[in-house]
Amino acid sequence: GQNIDQPTEMTATEGAIVQINCTYQTSGFNGLFWYQQHAGEAPTFLSYNVLDGLEEKGRFSSFLSRSKGYSYLLLKELQMKDSASYLCAVRDPNAGKSTFGDGTTLTVKP
Amino acid sequence: NAGVTQTPKFRVLKTGQSMTLLCAQDMNHEYMYWYRQDPGMGLRLIHYSVGEGTTAKGEVPDGYNVSRLKKQNFLLGLESAAPSQTSVYFCASSPTGEIEKLFFGSGTQLSVL
């Protein structure tokens, strides 16, 4: 099975940098991805890591260490609109099945 | 290009009633999924499909059935609704070459009384 852990809540200040961690223990692994979900809305895709290292996309970066079962999402130059839930998910080698963590609710304050 | 469309957006059922949630995508995606999301929790996979005519069980399939008769449609059925099925249901699809990139519908809020 899959076990994915993320902090439940985080708070940060506008303009700052925040790192959201995700650890996983899985029977199989074929990639880790991050989604953003604003309250009352559907999740939207942010990033996907299948190899170790850092993937950068504008203000957002995602890091993966497969040997440690660890990933983080880094958000730079925080904006108020970044207040949302961030979901970490691991893809099962049995293509089509992915397990999501419970999400981290990020609140950005002025 | 509508993407992924779910109907209805809201529904209230009484215990024991049945209903079908409809999901349609116009992106020619092979993979389609049904998730449920309970307050403060992540998404849990109910059933999924890797192509027309195929379905498979996810993490929490009990009490639900699905059908994928056409590539663009994925139906989720509740035969006898229970209060434990009160949740927000999301349909999603993904293309073959990028199955990690899920495109979600706007969700269905279902309440079972």
Side-chain angles (χ1 to χ4, degrees), chain A residues 63-78:
Chain A
F63 171 84
L64 175 67
S65 170
R66 288 172 295 170
S67 62
K68 295 182 179 179
Y70 168 68
S71 173
Y72 67 73
L73 181 69
L74 193 70
L75 290 74
K76 302 176 185 176
E77 300 169 14
L78 281 173

Side-chain angles (χ1 to χ4, degrees), chain A residues 33 35 37 41-43 45 48 87 91 94-103, chain B residues 31 33 35 37 40-43 45 48 50 57 59 90 99-102 104-105:
Chain A
F33 39 96
Y35 281 78
Q37 186 177 24
E41 298 182 8
F45 174 83
Y48 175 57
L87 305 172
R91 185 172 135 195
N94 178 9
K97 293 179 70 173
S98 299
T99 302
F100 282 80
D102 288 344
Chain B
Y31 293 81
Y33 315 80
Y35 286 91
Q37 186 174 37
M41 296 181 69
L43 298 157
L45 183 64
Y48 65 101
V50 300
K57 294 180 180 179
E59 299 172 71
F90 287 101
I99 66 173
E100 73 282 357
K101 193 174 289 185
L102 301 175
F104 284 87

